[in-house]
């Protein structure tokens, strides 16, 4: 028996670790560092209907224990991703999760439909929470009605399980989670970045060309843990947790809070081997805290509300 | 190929105002690196690595020299590191300068902290039998470094913005006075590169560009620059930092 | 002319620096370190109608570049504060801001009324955002209608200027700010802590006895800056900014984002001299970035939306 | 009075499993500190300071000894500090143990990392002409430290939880076998203190209590403990960490 294995809708994970969307491209660059077959899954960079060139630079800024980014969903468009990127990742013995985004419900639908034709993608991560898209992304992510609506449409369009990626920039995360669960989501993915800003003193203006950006990294971990813990008490669909993970201990913390899978984003930039290192370390860490398997850790800290 | 390497610090010295020279030892990097490539340096307590150009390589002693200016927290911490300590780097990163075999005279234009990569390039050019003309721009006298080292390799003109040393003004002010050359190579702040590429429009040239980076390996799309090709952009960390002056839009 | 001086409703500040509520007690302990007359103002620990003993311990946890706290508004009650603490602070040549809290609108009103009788308090900071009080605090802070209602009541009861302290745990900070501005707030104070959690791996349970706590410290600075910047574009009342300030450069960043005064919280724990050090350093830092006075920095980074 | 002081590290040594002894030099602290007080230590990169008891003082050499167990990131980093480095502390913090002048025999009960403050207390008691009986509890043999040093001061009984050294069990298991004493003093984890105060109910005793701290100076109310007085609570950092066993509720 594989002690690290987890079963999620559409995903048979050999371990719960997966690089987070946007922090691993389409895997090519990191495949020079280690064998991607080691990963539980890879979550690809967001796909939109057409190619997007994203925001002007600077697009990143460093903050204490974190960073801000405003990439702006730059990607070659869903067709190019299916043609050129999915086949590359499909060489590896891992699961592929496609992160999908759009400015309109129609665009989400179109992107979801496109992935129906590929056999190599196991699940969709529905990004309703990217704070860097002005046209609509942010409204979808903070309004439960809109979130439910886009979830329904994508569920209907797609033949894949859909994990809805929640934004933490909300007054009531449980309400958002319940809305998308009711709309048919197979799972949740949380959290996306918190909207932040850094001002560059010498120029007296926001450092990022986009002004605001998404805060990620270990700075936000306590917020991610709190939100996952709260949501876990109120929904029955599984959660892929993320936000500041950089060690195997962080992974155990996310599992305890209620995550069934754990994505690693920003930490890949600090250490390109981080996912591989965590996978190597995880068995020892489980043992240290008295656990035999990943499965038994999930939600252990959660007392029902 | 980029590797994650541990480098031993052999020496740290302040060679000009707020400018530090650090000599590092690592076999792989010293064997692999070509001029124009950089190291992506992890500094404890910082989420993002710092990109710093390779300023020189010695394959015999397996050493790599970097030169950096103290800008913010990261470079300040790095400057405080001592001989004997180790740093974690990704490298050699980026593409490096293209050297045209047929060229006989090359013009190297470095501005401030864009000067370091020009030194390793100059050494390589001279080794290949080419004549090097170097134009080095600095803020003021106290910021000048490596003038003697460049002079050993060829004609070297130092320019300071305030005229406190060498010529007064910007590197572009004296490009008109330079004799003939085949290809130019430039590294420095974007406004300088813009001025240089304007001034030398139509000439064959390669420029090395700086941008804030996330991953440093081509995965995150933090460091893109608009390009004239079909894709519409280039990644500075992996397609660059060196570009043909004609293929990117500054 | 004092280059550091700022004028705010009810407050003539010799400099913009003030310790944040809850991070400085009633000043006694820090008066052993330096002369409190140096401070622009002191914001006192929250006052409630009656004495409160707060939450069980552990009440604090450290996080990357921050901390969680769940003190739970422990305080001796408004009468004891007026009798025993205000006179102590009144010895110093500084401004006193009373932070007031409650579980009901009536309690807020009662506390506000009590401060009318003291001459030594210059302003109220209306804490509608403490995430550690179950009975009502959090609802006041995330619902614009409730926030406006409590603001109105307190404004009516009090003869002091009222700065409403906003919670960052909301989908739309501008809406909250506008609601309390319309309800009569004289100023805003932002941000309070973000709700977070840490799980203690050895015991497999949340580390804080209260489970969740408020995240503060430099980890949250980018969120504070973003919110102040956004709100500054949409309100005309002044803002006291806070959230992760620990250096004079941070102060300049908050001023650029639109704050007129800057409170320092968690950093007092790391360095008890931090407010004093920042005040000493501020003139040099202003000069470094080309400014002559604090006043001219305020809002400089903000372009109207 | 608490002061913010810089202390020089004179030595760092691992004296038992994951247990580090560090000798620090600072005139003010060495002159002021009494047994039971602690230092609130800043560790770079950490928001909150770490409270560590003073384990010994030497007024002539102006040194202060601390002993700490490697628990998490903070103590791990501290353990890696080297001779010659400096640390920023607040101290001496807290109230310290009350020494009853009329006592002739005192019982000191330390558990694990509660042993260190007992040592400075024992030395002070002996200097005042009192007889000291020490009961020291540790997890197992590899964790035992300072046994010899306590033996030089008086009767010393070591207990290990697993019986790998000395008596087997908990410190409370052998309190019955102790001869008569006037006052007891105890420091250790809360469950141990609870057991000790139960076992010795009615006896005069002082206990030193641990709690997670924010400010460490009495301002933030992070470290309170319910008390039987009118206020209803005590602050461990400033009213304590030492309390009369009868005035607090564990
Ligand atoms: C390819 C490349 C090569 C470089 N080579 C050199 C060199 O040889 N010598 C040298 O002194 N400097 C060089 N730089 C610039 C150097 O990377 C920055 O000065 C350095 O990252 C500043 O870090 P900091 O922590 O001191 O500053 P901070 O301002 O505190 O850094 C905050 C963040 O901004 C980034 N940043 C700040 N300034 C720059 C910049 N100019 N370019 C890219 N990122 C920046 C940092 O990496 C960090 O992520 C190079 C940059 C690039 C892109
Ligand atoms: C008055 C007092 C005296 C102490 N004296 C000693 C001593 O002499 N030797 C010694 O080894 N330990 C002592 N401790 C415990 C010591 O403070 C903790 O072991 C230490 O803070 C752990 O820090 P860390 O970063 O390694 O652990 P982490 O668990 O990473 O620390 C995280 C946070 O929790 C706090 N924390 C963790 N454990 C404790 C604890 N047991 N008590 C208080 N805060 C804690 C830390 O200070 C920090 O804020 C004392 C505690 C108190 C309150
Ligand atoms: C540079 C960068 C790009 C990102 N791009 C995406 C994206 O395209 N789609 C998405 O859903 N999330 C994106 N994210 C959010 C991450 O997937 C993740 O939710 C967030 O960063 C928190 O995790 P972390 O703290 O481990 O980075 C991006 C994050 C970063 C830092
Ligand atoms: C231990 C602690 C206690 C606090 N108590 C209060 C309080 O009583 N009332 C209040 O309005 N804010 C309280 N706060 C919030 C701070 O005033 C401040 O808004 C927040 O911590 C962000 O600033 P900082 O990052 O500088 O700490 C408290 C914060 C901390 C850390
Ligand atoms: S820094 Fe990530 S793509 Fe260049
Ligand atoms: S730690 Fe702040 S009151 Fe004790």
């Amino acid at each position: 028996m594989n002690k690290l294995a987890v079963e999620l809708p559409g995903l048979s994970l050999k371990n719960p670790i997966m690089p987070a969307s946007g922090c691993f491209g389409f895997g090519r660059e990191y495949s020079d560092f280690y064998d991607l077959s080691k990963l539980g899954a890879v979550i690809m960079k967001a796909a939109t209907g057409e190619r997007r060139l994203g925001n002007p630079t600077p697009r990143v800024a460093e903050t204490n224990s974190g960073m801000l980014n405003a990439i702006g969903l730059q990607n070659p468009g869903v067709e190019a991703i299916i043609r050129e990127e999915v086949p590359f990742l499909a060489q590896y013995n891992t699961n592929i999760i496609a992160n999908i985004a759009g400015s309109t419900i129609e665009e989400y639908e179109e992107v979801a439909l496109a992935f129906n034709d590929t056999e190599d993608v196991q699940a969709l991560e529905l990004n309703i929470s990217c704070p860097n898209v002005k046209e609509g992304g942010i409204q979808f992510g903070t309004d439960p009605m809109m979130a439910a609506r886009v979830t329904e449409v994508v569920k209907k369009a797609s033949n894949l399980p859909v994990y809805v990626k929640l934004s933490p920039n909300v007054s009531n995360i449980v309400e958002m989670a319940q809305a998308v669960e009711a709309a048919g989501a197979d799972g949740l993915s949380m959290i996306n970045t918190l909207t932040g800003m850094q001002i560059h003193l010498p120029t007296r203006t926001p450092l990022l060309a986009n002004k605001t950006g998404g805060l990620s990294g270990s700075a936000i971990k306590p917020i991610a843990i709190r939100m996952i813990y709260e949501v876990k008490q109120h929904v029955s669909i599984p959660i892929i947790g993320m936000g500041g993970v950089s060690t195997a201990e962080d992974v155990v913390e996310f599992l305890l809070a209620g995550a069934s899978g754990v994505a690693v984003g920003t930490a890949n930039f600090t250490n390109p081997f981080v996912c591989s290192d965590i996978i190597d370390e995880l068995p020892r860490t489980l043992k240290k805290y008295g656990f035999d398997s990943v499965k038994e850790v999930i939600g252990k800290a959660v007392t029902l509300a | 190929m980029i590797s994650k390497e541990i480098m031993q610090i052999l020496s740290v010295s302040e060679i000009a105002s707020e400018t530090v020279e650090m000599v590092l030892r690592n076999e792989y990097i010293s064997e692999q690196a070509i001029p124009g490539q950089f190291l992506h340096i992890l500094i404890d307590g910082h989420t993002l690595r710092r990109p710093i150009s390779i300023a020189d390589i010695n394959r015999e002693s397996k050493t790599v020299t970097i030169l950096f200016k103290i800008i913010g927290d990261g470079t300040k911490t790095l400057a405080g590191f001592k001989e004997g300590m180790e740093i974690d780097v990704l490298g050699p990163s980026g593409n490096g300068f293209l050297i045209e075999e047929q060229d006989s005279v090359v013009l190297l234009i470095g501005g401030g902290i864009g000067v370091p990569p020009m030194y390793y390039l100059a050494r390589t050019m001279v080794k290949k039998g080419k004549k090097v003309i170097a134009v080095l721009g600095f803020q003021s006298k106290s910021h000048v470094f490596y003038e003697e080292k460049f002079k050993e390799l060829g004609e070297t003109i130092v320019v300071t913005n305030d005229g406190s040393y060498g010529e007064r003004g910007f590197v572009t002010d004296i490009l008109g006075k330079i004799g003939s050359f085949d290809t130019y190579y430039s590294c420095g702040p974007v406004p300088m590169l813009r001025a240089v590429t304007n001034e030398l429009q139509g000439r064959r040239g390669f420029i090395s560009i700086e941008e804030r980076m996330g991953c440093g390996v081509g995965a995150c799309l933090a460091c893109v620059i608009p390009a004239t090709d079909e894709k519409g952009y280039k990644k500075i960390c992996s397609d660059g930092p060196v570009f043909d002056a004609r293929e990117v839009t500054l």
Side-chain angles (χ1 to χ4, degrees), chain B residues 34-46:
Chain B
I34 62 166
Q37 290 189 306
F38 65 93
L39 302 177
H40 209 30
I41 303 179
L42 182 67
I43 299 167
D44 223 49
H46 288 274

Side-chain angles (χ1 to χ4, degrees), chain A residues 20-23 45-46 67 69 71 73 99 125 127 165 191-193 216-217 220 242-245 263-266 269, chain B residues 220:
Chain A
S21 181
C23 301
K45 173 74 190 162
M67 66 177 284
N69 90 80
I71 307 297
L73 294 185
N99 182 279
E125 182 178 55
N127 178 6
K165 184 157 180 181
I191 58 174
N192 210 317
T193 54
S216 62
I220 70 169
M242 68 203 70
V245 174
V264 182
T266 303
F269 306 159
Chain B
C220 75

Side-chain angles (χ1 to χ4, degrees), chain A residues 169-252:
Chain A
N169 302 294
V170 296
S171 308
N172 189 336
I173 192 74
V174 171
E175 183 188 22
M176 294 298 303
Q178 288 175 327
V180 302
E181 181 181 39
D186 299 283
L188 299 169
S189 180
M190 56 193 289
I191 58 174
N192 210 317
T193 54
L194 284 126
T195 310
M197 178 185 281
Q198 186 172 104
I199 293 175
H200 189 233
L201 271 46
T203 56
R204 308 172 177 188
T205 53
L207 193 148
L208 299 178
N210 187 54
K211 294 186 181 170
T212 61
L215 182 65
S216 62
S218 65
I220 70 169
K221 198 182 72 173
I223 299 170
I225 293 289
R226 184 267 293 183
M227 290 190 164
I228 292 167
Y229 184 98
E230 282 180 358
V231 165
K232 183 72 183 172
Q233 295 180 321
H234 293 97
V235 303
S236 53
I237 50 177
I239 300 168
I240 298 174
M242 68 203 70
V245 174
S246 71
T247 65
E249 305 224 337
D250 292 339
V251 170
V252 173

Side-chain angles (χ1 to χ4, degrees), chain A residues 4 13 24 72 123 129 139 227 232 240 245 250 256 264 269 289 304:
Chain A
L4 300 187
L13 303 176
F24 208 73
S129 48
Q139 291 90 317
M227 290 190 164
K232 183 72 183 172
I240 298 174
V245 174
D250 292 339
L256 284 168
V264 182
F269 306 159
Y289 293 105
L304 291 182

